[in-house]
Amino acid sequence: MPSSSAPPARTRLDSLTGLRFIAAALVFFFHASLVFISMNPFADPGVADGFRWLFSKAGWMGVSFFFVLSGFVLTWSARPQDTLTGFWRRRLLKVFPNHIATWALAMLLFAGAAVPAEVWLPNLLLVHSWFPDPAVHLSLNAPAWSLCSELLFYALFPFLIRPVLRIRKQALWAWAAAMVAGMLAVQLVTDFLAPASPPAPGTDVSVWQFWFGYNFPPVRMFEFVLGMILARMVAADVLPRIRVLPAALLCVAGYAAALAVPFLYGLNLMTVLPIALLIAAVARTDIDGAPTTLRSRPMQWLGEVSFGFYLAQQIVLSFVRTTLMDHRTYPTGTGIAILVVEFAGSLLLGWLLLTCVERPVMRRWARSRTTPRPPAALPPQQQLTPAP
């Protein structure tokens, strides 16, 4: 892979691993709160509606966090000696085994022979988010749509890393602002130019608007590249020093703004900058060696499980609510107990994916059997060297 990045002594950012699980949990509670597909377990209309409203933007925020974090972590940890095929092999092995396992489980539990090949095949190949039909891009295991965007990120990262590393330190802010401006332009185009019908279930927009403004992989590149630029900004120490708690409070404020603005502008615009500041603040705690709960053993374990948990949670929710409970709703106390069981079941399935699928595959095939020839290094001013 033609890149030069941080030196071998670069700081490990373990706290970001712990933070990943919080984002995955937001996605869980978003899906668990949905009413239009009967995931919400509460019979009391006030409780059900309050639960739905409280987490109505949590899924959007969690996915946006993962996209920004992908760009950040890949840029921070890029290997100078890596090869193009080696990088792509590791990324594909990280994504596809867990996806195939959850795809097969969804087919077994819900789909089977009833789902036509034009639906399950794009889903299996992780190209289904390129299709505007929600019956395709939200088919089978719905959270897998985001993996289509991740695959696009991985495909383009080796060609983006050099230009990002060449951005002058003084221009990093301008490029970061350009990424946010690009996100705004996407929603303006979606709002005013995309067809306004038919309506997308559970939203205030059309199927076309929701797909182009949220699911279409190229429009999510802005968040990924912002994460890449953010890694440069943290390494160069050009961001204001902000602690984790104030950054987390900014995320709460951004979430409140997302609840208040029109639907399209609440998908990721209101939360992307607070997310970026939170990632930077958490990364800075590791660089400075400051103590943080996110680096604790339980949070590290949860962070490692988070990818499997993310892919498993919709399957668990759907199986419990549709197969075991036939969409019935329950008193508040029972509903809370159901959520606890669903959360624990998702965590268990995520752990099984980690230990039985992800780790064995990565141990067996992720390492190259040949020693790659290191590419020529970039000049020092273009390398990603963390500031002291």
Side-chain angles (χ1 to χ4, degrees), residues 183-386:
M183 294 171 63
L184 174 59
V186 166
Q187 300 308 340
L188 289 172
V189 169
T190 304
D191 196 1
F192 294 103
L193 297 181
S197 61
T203 74
D204 299 327
V205 297
S206 72
V207 166
W208 285 95
Q209 288 172 321
F210 185 71
W211 170 72
F212 184 80
Y214 189 72
N215 292 103
F216 188 43
V219 305
R220 308 312 295 260
M221 284 296 303
F222 292 108
E223 290 150 284
F224 178 73
V225 177
L226 176 63
M228 296 180 68
I229 296 169
L230 183 66
R232 286 283 324 275
M233 297 175 85
V234 171
D237 202 18
V238 300
L239 286 168
R241 293 296 183 100
I242 181 171
R243 295 186 181 275
V244 174
L245 180 58
L249 292 176
L250 284 175
C251 286
V252 173
Y255 190 87
L259 291 170
V261 299
F263 183 87
L264 288 172
Y265 304 94
L267 290 173
N268 52 16
L269 270 175
M270 297 297 105
T271 56
V272 69
L273 288 180
I275 284 170
L277 290 175
L278 179 62
I279 291 173
V282 171
R284 178 52 62 182
T285 63
D286 285 341
I287 295 171
D288 295 340
T292 170
T293 305
L294 292 170
R295 251 193 337 266
S296 66
R297 184 170 296 179
M299 289 304 299
Q300 290 298 294
W301 183 84
L302 290 171
E304 292 294 330
V305 172
S306 61
F307 180 45
F309 173 86
Y310 172 80
L311 287 179
Q313 42 93 20
Q314 182 66 49
I315 295 175
V316 173
L317 286 167
S318 297
F319 180 73
V320 171
R321 295 292 297 129
T322 62
T323 303
L324 298 184
M325 296 184 173
D326 194 26
H327 304 289
R328 293 189 300 271
T329 54
Y330 299 86
T332 303
T334 305
I336 293 173
I338 291 169
L339 288 175
V340 171
V341 170
E342 291 170 335
F343 193 90
S346 301
L347 201 57
L348 175 61
L349 189 50
W351 173 74
L352 289 173
L353 287 169
L354 175 68
T355 57
C356 300
V357 179
E358 183 178 331
R359 281 178 176 168
V361 167
M362 294 300 289
R363 290 191 187 116
R364 175 65 178 84
W365 288 292
R367 292 184 180 180
S368 175
R369 296 184 179 182
T370 59
T371 302
R373 183 175 61 186
L378 289 175
Q381 66 270 20
Q382 295 175 9
Q383 295 185 1
L384 184 65
T385 306

Side-chain angles (χ1 to χ4, degrees), residues 33-99:
S33 71
L34 294 177
V35 174
F36 75 96
I37 56 172
S38 301
M39 293 296 104
N40 197 312
F42 297 110
D44 186 319
V47 174
D49 192 58
F51 181 44
R52 180 204 56 78
W53 174 82
L54 181 62
F55 290 101
S56 59
K57 305 297 180 182
W60 319 144
M61 189 175 190
V63 170
S64 187
F65 170 86
F66 285 127
F67 288 168
V68 177
L69 185 67
S70 289
F72 185 97
V73 170
L74 288 180
T75 302
W76 189 269
S77 60
R79 307 174 183 180
Q81 75 278 14
D82 208 355
T83 63
L84 190 69
T85 55
F87 172 79
W88 282 341
R89 183 183 65 252
R90 288 194 310 277
R91 292 296 92 199
L92 292 176
L93 289 173
K94 183 73 172 178
V95 167
F96 265 100
N98 275 353
H99 163 65

Side-chain angles (χ1 to χ4, degrees), residues 82-166:
D82 208 355
T83 63
L84 190 69
T85 55
F87 172 79
W88 282 341
R89 183 183 65 252
R90 288 194 310 277
R91 292 296 92 199
L92 292 176
L93 289 173
K94 183 73 172 178
V95 167
F96 265 100
N98 275 353
H99 163 65
I100 292 172
T102 50
W103 175 90
L105 185 59
M107 288 286 286
L108 177 66
L109 293 178
F110 314 118
V115 178
E118 57 266 27
V119 171
W120 64 254
L121 183 57
N123 193 292
L124 176 62
L125 299 177
L126 287 181
V127 295
H128 55 295
S129 274
W130 295 85
F131 294 79
D133 184 357
V136 177
H137 68 248
L138 294 179
S139 60
L140 295 176
N141 187 24
W145 76 264
S146 64
L147 300 185
C148 302
S149 295
E150 292 284 359
L151 286 184
L152 179 64
F153 303 160
Y154 301 154
L156 296 181
F157 177 78
F159 309 105
L160 293 172
I161 183 65
R162 272 188 179 274
V164 169
L165 292 177
R166 287 194 175 106

